[in-house]
Amino acid sequence: MANRAAVILAAGQGTRMRSSLPKVLHPVGGRPMIDWSIALAQSVGCERIIVVCSPNAETLQSHVKSQLGEGGIVLQDPPLGTGHAVQQAQAALQDFDGDLVVLCGDVPLIRAETVEALFAEIQTGAAVGVLGFEAADAGAYGRLITDADGNLEAIVEAKEATPEQLAVSFCNSGVIAARSASMFELLSRVTNENAKGEYYLTDIVGLARADGGTCRTVSCDEADVIGINTRVQLAEAEAAFQVRKRSEVLALGVTMTAPETVFFHHDTVIENDVTIEPNVFFGPGVTVRSGARVRAFSHLEGADIGARSTIGPFVRLRPGAVLEPGVKIGNFVEVKNTHMGEGAQASHLSYLGDGEIGAGANIGAGTIFCNYDGFLKYKTTVGKGAFIGSNSALVAPVTIGDGAFVGSGSVITKDVEANALAVARGKQMQKAGWATAFRDKMAAVKAAKKKG
Ligand code: UD1
Ligand code: CA
């Protein structure tokens, strides 16, 4: 395989997002757009990745540097067009010789196999390879003009196109590949004599053709090349990501009765034979293991759900919730930074934070792990097979021994020994006939008031 490099264009201002956050840091599937492009370049084996940024976008620059180092960034100032943007990477790639692909930082959903196909065109003799798509509404996209053999003749920007060219629906995604030396040589001849007064990357196709080179296209679905300029397009890209991720999850052997109501994060891992009921939200870092069931209206982040566990309905799992196989968590239970051993249960209405719960323990309805005193957080440990009665408050730091019982309504502030019973609540008393006497007395008082 030839050496590969990627230049990712991200120097546009993104003003139509109306955001203080740089456009390409807005997330799709929970992952900043620019990270999709970087991950794509990495997944096709690009050994050099250069992001072209605006000097104004400091948050973007530090974000990119944290992933690619200082060498991963070049600045474009002022932005004079896509061709000019690619040229800014020329010095940084001086020592690179191989195949170069240009990606756009605001087009997050391109598939690795599509970029592979583009590189393959370069390897099999094309001077330039362009990723195209059939546009439902070609609008302002550059049109791909092909000859009878399907070779690419030129890319014509909408502003420059004739009426016949505007009628072409095969459009430029903005992703273009060439040998690096050839890319920069062609770019050195691009001028800005056009409708926008910009240096168009797309002009390298016409120049390569004039040199006698062949230019080829690769095509993909329009949904894979949604470019994001507005929040509407951001929402469209999110929807396209969700559609893709849901079908990937279904293909792995997962049952979802209403997949269109289940929302994934790009890193969600679901094993086979999991069932996900309607209206479930996955935040970052969730793994659901084989045979587990996630019931309706659950909100999950940073959680590892063990095999054959049942979660929900209406469960909230927060970062550090680690459930071993066969755990059962029922409605209105919140679990954070808590490990639950095999077969442990919390069936109703609890907050379990900063805890360690032994295998087979049963946490009764309304149990609270009081983990925070307003300053620091403390740990609650519940031993194997322990039974916590309903509506108990376990005030951390505290340990309930293996097999111990805690009586309902207890406020437990001291450790409980293994196999002991701890009860910490007001003692029950009883006054025989008190209620009858009370009612008689109050009825008399009320009657006296009415008369007077
Ligand atoms: C470009 C293509 C067009 C294609 C469309 C797909 C050119 C001349 N036209 O048009 O054929 O159909 O993308 O979306 O290439 N950028 C910079 N510096 C610049 C200009 C742009 O970094 O000086 C970046 C932008 O941030 C963006 C990308 O390049 O990520 C594309 O720029 P944009 O202005 O959206 O290009 P279009 O005019 O839409
Ligand atoms: Ca654009």
Side-chain angles (χ1 to χ4, degrees), residues 21-80:
L21 188 68
K23 176 170 79 171
V24 297
L25 290 183
H26 282 262
V28 173
R31 179 199 233 176
M33 282 179 229
I34 189 72
D35 292 8
W36 282 94
S37 298
I38 293 172
L40 173 66
Q42 286 166 337
S43 73
V44 296
C46 291
E47 60 189 64
R48 302 288 294 280
I49 301 171
I50 311 282
V51 180
V52 184
C53 294
S54 154
N56 309 323
E58 275 135 25
T59 20
L60 173 60
Q61 289 171 40
S62 46
H63 179 91
V64 171
K65 277 180 200 164
S66 71
Q67 294 191 49
L68 300 175
E70 293 280 337
I73 284 211
V74 295
L75 300 182
Q76 185 194 21
D77 187 22
L80 300 177

Short mmCIF file of all heavy atoms in Angstrom, two decimals, residues 21-80:
data_model
loop_
_atom_site.label_atom_id
_atom_site.label_comp_id
_atom_site.label_asym_id
_atom_site.label_seq_id
_atom_site.Cartn_x
_atom_site.Cartn_y
_atom_site.Cartn_z
N LEU A 21 -19.28 28.06 19.67
CA LEU A 21 -18.43 26.87 19.49
C LEU A 21 -18.08 26.75 18.00
O LEU A 21 -18.96 26.85 17.15
CB LEU A 21 -19.23 25.63 19.93
CG LEU A 21 -18.51 24.29 19.99
CD1 LEU A 21 -17.48 24.30 21.12
CD2 LEU A 21 -19.52 23.16 20.22
N PRO A 22 -16.79 26.52 17.67
CA PRO A 22 -16.46 26.33 16.25
C PRO A 22 -17.32 25.21 15.65
O PRO A 22 -17.57 24.20 16.31
CB PRO A 22 -14.98 25.91 16.28
CG PRO A 22 -14.45 26.46 17.55
CD PRO A 22 -15.59 26.44 18.52
N LYS A 23 -17.74 25.43 14.40
CA LYS A 23 -18.70 24.51 13.77
C LYS A 23 -18.30 23.05 13.90
O LYS A 23 -19.10 22.20 14.29
CB LYS A 23 -18.88 24.88 12.30
CG LYS A 23 -19.79 23.93 11.56
CD LYS A 23 -20.15 24.43 10.18
CE LYS A 23 -19.06 24.20 9.18
NZ LYS A 23 -19.52 24.51 7.80
N VAL A 24 -17.03 22.75 13.56
CA VAL A 24 -16.64 21.34 13.49
C VAL A 24 -16.45 20.70 14.86
O VAL A 24 -16.12 19.51 14.96
CB VAL A 24 -15.38 21.12 12.62
CG1 VAL A 24 -15.68 21.53 11.19
CG2 VAL A 24 -14.18 21.86 13.18
N LEU A 25 -16.66 21.49 15.95
CA LEU A 25 -16.66 20.87 17.28
C LEU A 25 -18.07 20.48 17.72
O LEU A 25 -18.25 19.83 18.75
CB LEU A 25 -16.03 21.80 18.32
CG LEU A 25 -14.52 22.02 18.17
CD1 LEU A 25 -14.00 22.91 19.29
CD2 LEU A 25 -13.76 20.69 18.15
N HIS A 26 -19.07 20.85 16.93
CA HIS A 26 -20.43 20.39 17.26
C HIS A 26 -20.49 18.88 17.04
O HIS A 26 -19.94 18.37 16.07
CB HIS A 26 -21.46 21.10 16.37
CG HIS A 26 -21.74 22.50 16.84
ND1 HIS A 26 -22.82 22.82 17.61
CD2 HIS A 26 -21.05 23.65 16.66
CE1 HIS A 26 -22.80 24.11 17.89
NE2 HIS A 26 -21.73 24.64 17.33
N PRO A 27 -21.17 18.17 17.95
CA PRO A 27 -21.14 16.71 17.86
C PRO A 27 -22.23 16.10 16.97
O PRO A 27 -23.33 16.62 16.87
CB PRO A 27 -21.37 16.28 19.32
CG PRO A 27 -22.16 17.39 19.93
CD PRO A 27 -21.80 18.66 19.19
N VAL A 28 -21.86 14.99 16.37
CA VAL A 28 -22.81 14.10 15.69
C VAL A 28 -22.59 12.73 16.34
O VAL A 28 -21.44 12.28 16.46
CB VAL A 28 -22.53 14.04 14.18
CG1 VAL A 28 -23.40 12.98 13.50
CG2 VAL A 28 -22.77 15.41 13.54
N GLY A 29 -23.66 12.12 16.80
CA GLY A 29 -23.51 10.86 17.52
C GLY A 29 -22.64 11.05 18.76
O GLY A 29 -21.94 10.13 19.19
N GLY A 30 -22.67 12.26 19.32
CA GLY A 30 -21.91 12.54 20.54
C GLY A 30 -20.43 12.79 20.31
O GLY A 30 -19.68 12.98 21.26
N ARG A 31 -19.99 12.80 19.05
CA ARG A 31 -18.56 12.96 18.77
C ARG A 31 -18.38 14.19 17.89
O ARG A 31 -19.07 14.33 16.87
CB ARG A 31 -18.12 11.72 17.99
CG ARG A 31 -16.68 11.68 17.57
CD ARG A 31 -16.57 10.65 16.45
NE ARG A 31 -15.55 9.68 16.71
CZ ARG A 31 -15.32 8.63 15.92
NH1 ARG A 31 -16.08 8.42 14.86
NH2 ARG A 31 -14.38 7.79 16.19
N PRO A 32 -17.46 15.11 18.29
CA PRO A 32 -17.27 16.31 17.48
C PRO A 32 -17.03 15.95 16.01
O PRO A 32 -16.29 14.99 15.72
CB PRO A 32 -16.03 16.97 18.09
CG PRO A 32 -15.99 16.47 19.49
CD PRO A 32 -16.55 15.07 19.44
N MET A 33 -17.63 16.73 15.11
CA MET A 33 -17.49 16.43 13.67
C MET A 33 -16.04 16.23 13.25
O MET A 33 -15.73 15.33 12.50
CB MET A 33 -17.98 17.63 12.86
CG MET A 33 -19.43 17.77 12.73
SD MET A 33 -19.66 19.28 11.74
CE MET A 33 -20.87 20.09 12.73
N ILE A 34 -15.15 17.10 13.74
CA ILE A 34 -13.75 17.01 13.31
C ILE A 34 -13.15 15.66 13.70
O ILE A 34 -12.32 15.11 12.98
CB ILE A 34 -12.92 18.19 13.88
CG1 ILE A 34 -11.53 18.25 13.26
CG2 ILE A 34 -12.80 18.13 15.39
CD1 ILE A 34 -11.49 18.70 11.83
N ASP A 35 -13.61 15.11 14.82
CA ASP A 35 -13.09 13.81 15.26
C ASP A 35 -13.53 12.67 14.34
O ASP A 35 -12.83 11.66 14.21
CB ASP A 35 -13.52 13.51 16.70
CG ASP A 35 -12.86 14.46 17.70
OD1 ASP A 35 -12.19 15.41 17.25
OD2 ASP A 35 -13.02 14.25 18.91
N TRP A 36 -14.70 12.83 13.72
CA TRP A 36 -15.13 11.84 12.72
C TRP A 36 -14.14 11.83 11.56
O TRP A 36 -13.73 10.76 11.10
CB TRP A 36 -16.53 12.18 12.17
CG TRP A 36 -17.66 11.83 13.07
CD1 TRP A 36 -18.28 12.65 13.97
CD2 TRP A 36 -18.34 10.56 13.15
NE1 TRP A 36 -19.29 11.97 14.61
CE2 TRP A 36 -19.35 10.70 14.13
CE3 TRP A 36 -18.20 9.34 12.50
CZ2 TRP A 36 -20.22 9.66 14.47
CZ3 TRP A 36 -19.06 8.30 12.84
CH2 TRP A 36 -20.05 8.46 13.81
N SER A 37 -13.76 13.03 11.10
CA SER A 37 -12.84 13.10 9.96
C SER A 37 -11.46 12.56 10.33
O SER A 37 -10.83 11.84 9.55
CB SER A 37 -12.71 14.54 9.46
OG SER A 37 -13.96 15.00 9.01
N ILE A 38 -11.00 12.91 11.54
CA ILE A 38 -9.68 12.42 11.98
C ILE A 38 -9.72 10.89 12.11
O ILE A 38 -8.82 10.20 11.63
CB ILE A 38 -9.27 13.09 13.31
CG1 ILE A 38 -9.01 14.58 13.10
CG2 ILE A 38 -8.04 12.40 13.92
CD1 ILE A 38 -8.78 15.39 14.38
N ALA A 39 -10.80 10.37 12.70
CA ALA A 39 -10.90 8.91 12.87
C ALA A 39 -11.00 8.22 11.52
O ALA A 39 -10.43 7.13 11.33
CB ALA A 39 -12.12 8.58 13.73
N LEU A 40 -11.68 8.85 10.57
CA LEU A 40 -11.78 8.27 9.23
C LEU A 40 -10.40 8.18 8.59
O LEU A 40 -10.01 7.13 8.06
CB LEU A 40 -12.71 9.14 8.37
CG LEU A 40 -12.79 8.78 6.88
CD1 LEU A 40 -13.43 7.41 6.70
CD2 LEU A 40 -13.58 9.85 6.12
N ALA A 41 -9.64 9.29 8.67
CA ALA A 41 -8.29 9.30 8.10
C ALA A 41 -7.42 8.23 8.76
O ALA A 41 -6.68 7.50 8.09
CB ALA A 41 -7.67 10.69 8.27
N GLN A 42 -7.56 8.10 10.07
CA GLN A 42 -6.77 7.07 10.77
C GLN A 42 -7.19 5.67 10.35
O GLN A 42 -6.36 4.79 10.16
CB GLN A 42 -6.92 7.25 12.29
CG GLN A 42 -6.13 8.46 12.79
CD GLN A 42 -6.50 8.88 14.22
OE1 GLN A 42 -7.59 8.58 14.69
NE2 GLN A 42 -5.60 9.60 14.87
N SER A 43 -8.51 5.49 10.17
CA SER A 43 -8.99 4.13 9.87
C SER A 43 -8.58 3.66 8.48
O SER A 43 -8.54 2.46 8.23
CB SER A 43 -10.51 4.05 10.05
OG SER A 43 -11.14 4.72 8.99
N VAL A 44 -8.28 4.59 7.57
CA VAL A 44 -7.78 4.16 6.26
C VAL A 44 -6.26 4.21 6.20
O VAL A 44 -5.67 4.10 5.12
CB VAL A 44 -8.39 4.98 5.09
CG1 VAL A 44 -9.90 4.76 5.02
CG2 VAL A 44 -8.06 6.46 5.20
N GLY A 45 -5.64 4.36 7.35
CA GLY A 45 -4.18 4.23 7.42
C GLY A 45 -3.39 5.46 7.02
O GLY A 45 -2.24 5.34 6.61
N CYS A 46 -3.99 6.64 7.14
CA CYS A 46 -3.22 7.86 6.84
C CYS A 46 -2.16 8.05 7.92
O CYS A 46 -2.49 8.16 9.10
CB CYS A 46 -4.13 9.08 6.77
SG CYS A 46 -5.21 9.03 5.34
N GLU A 47 -0.91 8.10 7.48
CA GLU A 47 0.17 8.27 8.46
C GLU A 47 0.38 9.74 8.80
O GLU A 47 0.93 10.05 9.84
CB GLU A 47 1.47 7.67 7.90
CG GLU A 47 1.91 8.32 6.62
CD GLU A 47 3.07 7.59 5.97
OE1 GLU A 47 2.89 6.43 5.58
OE2 GLU A 47 4.15 8.20 5.89
N ARG A 48 -0.07 10.61 7.90
CA ARG A 48 -0.01 12.05 8.18
C ARG A 48 -1.41 12.62 8.06
O ARG A 48 -2.11 12.35 7.09
CB ARG A 48 0.93 12.74 7.17
CG ARG A 48 2.34 12.17 7.16
CD ARG A 48 3.12 12.56 8.39
NE ARG A 48 3.36 14.00 8.42
CZ ARG A 48 4.33 14.60 7.73
NH1 ARG A 48 5.16 13.89 6.98
NH2 ARG A 48 4.50 15.90 7.80
N ILE A 49 -1.80 13.40 9.05
CA ILE A 49 -3.13 14.04 9.04
C ILE A 49 -2.94 15.50 9.41
O ILE A 49 -2.39 15.82 10.48
CB ILE A 49 -4.08 13.35 10.04
CG1 ILE A 49 -4.24 11.87 9.70
CG2 ILE A 49 -5.45 14.05 10.05
CD1 ILE A 49 -5.00 11.06 10.75
N ILE A 50 -3.35 16.38 8.51
CA ILE A 50 -3.19 17.81 8.73
C ILE A 50 -4.56 18.47 8.69
O ILE A 50 -5.31 18.27 7.72
CB ILE A 50 -2.32 18.46 7.60
CG1 ILE A 50 -1.03 17.67 7.36
CG2 ILE A 50 -2.09 19.93 7.89
CD1 ILE A 50 0.05 17.89 8.35
N VAL A 51 -4.90 19.22 9.72
CA VAL A 51 -6.17 19.94 9.75
C VAL A 51 -5.89 21.41 9.45
O VAL A 51 -5.02 22.03 10.08
CB VAL A 51 -6.85 19.79 11.12
CG1 VAL A 51 -8.18 20.55 11.15
CG2 VAL A 51 -7.08 18.31 11.45
N VAL A 52 -6.62 21.95 8.48
CA VAL A 52 -6.47 23.36 8.12
C VAL A 52 -7.48 24.16 8.93
O VAL A 52 -8.69 23.96 8.81
CB VAL A 52 -6.72 23.59 6.61
CG1 VAL A 52 -6.47 25.05 6.24
CG2 VAL A 52 -5.84 22.67 5.77
N CYS A 53 -6.97 25.05 9.80
CA CYS A 53 -7.83 25.80 10.72
C CYS A 53 -7.74 27.29 10.44
O CYS A 53 -6.76 27.77 9.88
CB CYS A 53 -7.37 25.60 12.17
SG CYS A 53 -7.56 23.95 12.79
N SER A 54 -8.73 28.00 10.94
CA SER A 54 -8.68 29.46 10.93
C SER A 54 -7.89 29.92 12.16
O SER A 54 -7.99 29.32 13.22
CB SER A 54 -10.10 30.01 10.99
OG SER A 54 -10.10 31.30 11.57
N PRO A 55 -7.11 31.00 12.03
CA PRO A 55 -6.37 31.48 13.20
C PRO A 55 -7.29 31.93 14.34
O PRO A 55 -6.87 31.95 15.49
CB PRO A 55 -5.55 32.65 12.66
CG PRO A 55 -6.08 32.95 11.31
CD PRO A 55 -6.83 31.78 10.81
N ASN A 56 -8.54 32.25 14.02
CA ASN A 56 -9.48 32.70 15.07
C ASN A 56 -10.00 31.56 15.94
O ASN A 56 -10.46 31.79 17.05
CB ASN A 56 -10.68 33.39 14.44
CG ASN A 56 -10.27 34.46 13.46
OD1 ASN A 56 -9.28 35.14 13.70
ND2 ASN A 56 -10.99 34.58 12.36
N ALA A 57 -9.97 30.35 15.40
CA ALA A 57 -10.63 29.24 16.09
C ALA A 57 -9.66 28.57 17.06
O ALA A 57 -9.16 27.48 16.82
CB ALA A 57 -11.16 28.24 15.07
N GLU A 58 -9.40 29.26 18.19
CA GLU A 58 -8.40 28.72 19.13
C GLU A 58 -8.85 27.44 19.82
O GLU A 58 -8.04 26.54 20.03
CB GLU A 58 -8.02 29.78 20.16
CG GLU A 58 -6.91 30.69 19.63
CD GLU A 58 -7.18 32.16 19.91
OE1 GLU A 58 -7.92 32.45 20.86
OE2 GLU A 58 -6.67 33.00 19.16
N THR A 59 -10.12 27.36 20.16
CA THR A 59 -10.60 26.12 20.80
C THR A 59 -10.43 24.93 19.87
O THR A 59 -10.07 23.84 20.30
CB THR A 59 -12.11 26.19 21.19
OG1 THR A 59 -12.73 27.21 20.43
CG2 THR A 59 -12.31 26.41 22.65
N LEU A 60 -10.69 25.18 18.58
CA LEU A 60 -10.53 24.10 17.60
C LEU A 60 -9.05 23.70 17.51
O LEU A 60 -8.72 22.51 17.52
CB LEU A 60 -11.05 24.54 16.23
CG LEU A 60 -10.78 23.55 15.09
CD1 LEU A 60 -11.44 22.21 15.38
CD2 LEU A 60 -11.27 24.13 13.76
N GLN A 61 -8.19 24.70 17.47
CA GLN A 61 -6.75 24.38 17.36
C GLN A 61 -6.29 23.54 18.55
O GLN A 61 -5.58 22.55 18.36
CB GLN A 61 -5.94 25.66 17.28
CG GLN A 61 -6.11 26.40 15.97
CD GLN A 61 -5.46 27.78 16.03
OE1 GLN A 61 -4.38 27.94 16.60
NE2 GLN A 61 -6.12 28.76 15.46
N SER A 62 -6.69 23.92 19.75
CA SER A 62 -6.20 23.12 20.89
C SER A 62 -6.83 21.73 20.90
O SER A 62 -6.18 20.75 21.27
CB SER A 62 -6.35 23.85 22.22
OG SER A 62 -7.61 24.40 22.32
N HIS A 63 -8.07 21.65 20.45
CA HIS A 63 -8.72 20.34 20.34
C HIS A 63 -7.94 19.43 19.38
O HIS A 63 -7.67 18.27 19.69
CB HIS A 63 -10.16 20.52 19.85
CG HIS A 63 -10.91 19.24 19.69
ND1 HIS A 63 -11.66 18.69 20.71
CD2 HIS A 63 -11.00 18.37 18.65
CE1 HIS A 63 -12.19 17.55 20.29
NE2 HIS A 63 -11.81 17.34 19.05
N VAL A 64 -7.58 19.98 18.23
CA VAL A 64 -6.87 19.16 17.23
C VAL A 64 -5.47 18.81 17.73
O VAL A 64 -5.02 17.67 17.61
CB VAL A 64 -6.81 19.90 15.87
CG1 VAL A 64 -5.89 19.17 14.90
CG2 VAL A 64 -8.20 20.04 15.28
N LYS A 65 -4.78 19.80 18.34
CA LYS A 65 -3.43 19.54 18.86
C LYS A 65 -3.42 18.43 19.90
O LYS A 65 -2.49 17.64 19.97
CB LYS A 65 -2.84 20.82 19.46
CG LYS A 65 -2.22 21.73 18.43
CD LYS A 65 -1.65 22.98 19.07
CE LYS A 65 -1.49 24.07 18.01
NZ LYS A 65 -1.31 25.39 18.61
N SER A 66 -4.49 18.38 20.70
CA SER A 66 -4.51 17.36 21.75
C SER A 66 -4.57 15.96 21.13
O SER A 66 -4.19 14.98 21.76
CB SER A 66 -5.69 17.59 22.70
OG SER A 66 -6.90 17.29 22.03
N GLN A 67 -5.04 15.88 19.89
CA GLN A 67 -5.09 14.56 19.24
C GLN A 67 -3.93 14.31 18.30
O GLN A 67 -3.44 13.19 18.20
CB GLN A 67 -6.38 14.44 18.42
CG GLN A 67 -7.59 14.45 19.30
CD GLN A 67 -8.81 14.08 18.52
OE1 GLN A 67 -8.82 13.08 17.81
NE2 GLN A 67 -9.83 14.87 18.65
N LEU A 68 -3.53 15.35 17.55
CA LEU A 68 -2.55 15.12 16.49
C LEU A 68 -1.21 15.79 16.76
O LEU A 68 -0.28 15.65 15.98
CB LEU A 68 -3.10 15.65 15.15
CG LEU A 68 -4.41 15.01 14.66
CD1 LEU A 68 -4.89 15.71 13.39
CD2 LEU A 68 -4.22 13.52 14.39
N GLY A 69 -1.14 16.55 17.87
CA GLY A 69 0.11 17.27 18.17
C GLY A 69 0.19 18.55 17.35
O GLY A 69 -0.66 18.83 16.50
N GLU A 70 1.24 19.34 17.63
CA GLU A 70 1.45 20.63 16.95
C GLU A 70 1.46 20.46 15.43
O GLU A 70 0.96 21.30 14.70
CB GLU A 70 2.80 21.24 17.38
CG GLU A 70 2.87 21.66 18.83
CD GLU A 70 2.22 23.01 19.08
OE1 GLU A 70 2.10 23.81 18.13
OE2 GLU A 70 1.81 23.25 20.24
N GLY A 71 2.08 19.36 14.98
CA GLY A 71 2.24 19.13 13.54
C GLY A 71 0.94 18.80 12.83
O GLY A 71 0.91 18.71 11.61
N GLY A 72 -0.13 18.64 13.58
CA GLY A 72 -1.41 18.27 12.97
C GLY A 72 -2.24 19.44 12.51
O GLY A 72 -3.37 19.28 12.06
N ILE A 73 -1.66 20.65 12.63
CA ILE A 73 -2.43 21.85 12.30
C ILE A 73 -1.66 22.76 11.36
O ILE A 73 -0.45 22.95 11.54
CB ILE A 73 -2.68 22.66 13.59
CG1 ILE A 73 -3.76 21.98 14.37
CG2 ILE A 73 -3.05 24.08 13.30
CD1 ILE A 73 -4.59 22.92 15.15
N VAL A 74 -2.35 23.30 10.38
CA VAL A 74 -1.81 24.46 9.66
C VAL A 74 -2.91 25.52 9.65
O VAL A 74 -4.10 25.19 9.73
CB VAL A 74 -1.35 24.14 8.22
CG1 VAL A 74 -0.18 23.17 8.23
CG2 VAL A 74 -2.50 23.59 7.38
N LEU A 75 -2.51 26.80 9.58
CA LEU A 75 -3.49 27.87 9.59
C LEU A 75 -3.67 28.42 8.18
O LEU A 75 -2.73 28.45 7.38
CB LEU A 75 -3.03 28.99 10.53
CG LEU A 75 -2.84 28.57 11.99
CD1 LEU A 75 -2.44 29.78 12.84
CD2 LEU A 75 -4.10 27.92 12.56
N GLN A 76 -4.90 28.83 7.91
CA GLN A 76 -5.19 29.50 6.64
C GLN A 76 -5.70 30.89 6.96
O GLN A 76 -6.74 31.04 7.60
CB GLN A 76 -6.25 28.71 5.86
CG GLN A 76 -6.49 29.30 4.47
CD GLN A 76 -7.76 28.77 3.82
OE1 GLN A 76 -8.66 28.28 4.48
NE2 GLN A 76 -7.83 28.86 2.51
N ASP A 77 -4.97 31.91 6.52
CA ASP A 77 -5.33 33.27 6.86
C ASP A 77 -4.90 34.21 5.74
O ASP A 77 -3.72 34.40 5.52
CB ASP A 77 -4.63 33.66 8.17
CG ASP A 77 -5.09 35.01 8.68
OD1 ASP A 77 -6.21 35.43 8.30
OD2 ASP A 77 -4.34 35.63 9.46
N PRO A 78 -5.82 34.83 5.01
CA PRO A 78 -7.27 34.64 5.11
C PRO A 78 -7.71 33.42 4.29
O PRO A 78 -6.92 32.92 3.49
CB PRO A 78 -7.80 35.93 4.47
CG PRO A 78 -6.76 36.28 3.44
CD PRO A 78 -5.43 35.82 4.00
N PRO A 79 -8.96 32.98 4.44
CA PRO A 79 -9.45 31.85 3.65
C PRO A 79 -9.76 32.30 2.22
O PRO A 79 -10.64 33.12 2.01
CB PRO A 79 -10.73 31.42 4.38
CG PRO A 79 -11.17 32.61 5.15
CD PRO A 79 -9.96 33.45 5.42
N LEU A 80 -9.02 31.75 1.27
CA LEU A 80 -9.20 32.18 -0.12
C LEU A 80 -9.75 31.06 -0.99
O LEU A 80 -9.59 31.09 -2.20
CB LEU A 80 -7.87 32.69 -0.69
CG LEU A 80 -7.23 33.88 0.05
CD1 LEU A 80 -5.87 34.23 -0.56
CD2 LEU A 80 -8.16 35.10 0.03
#
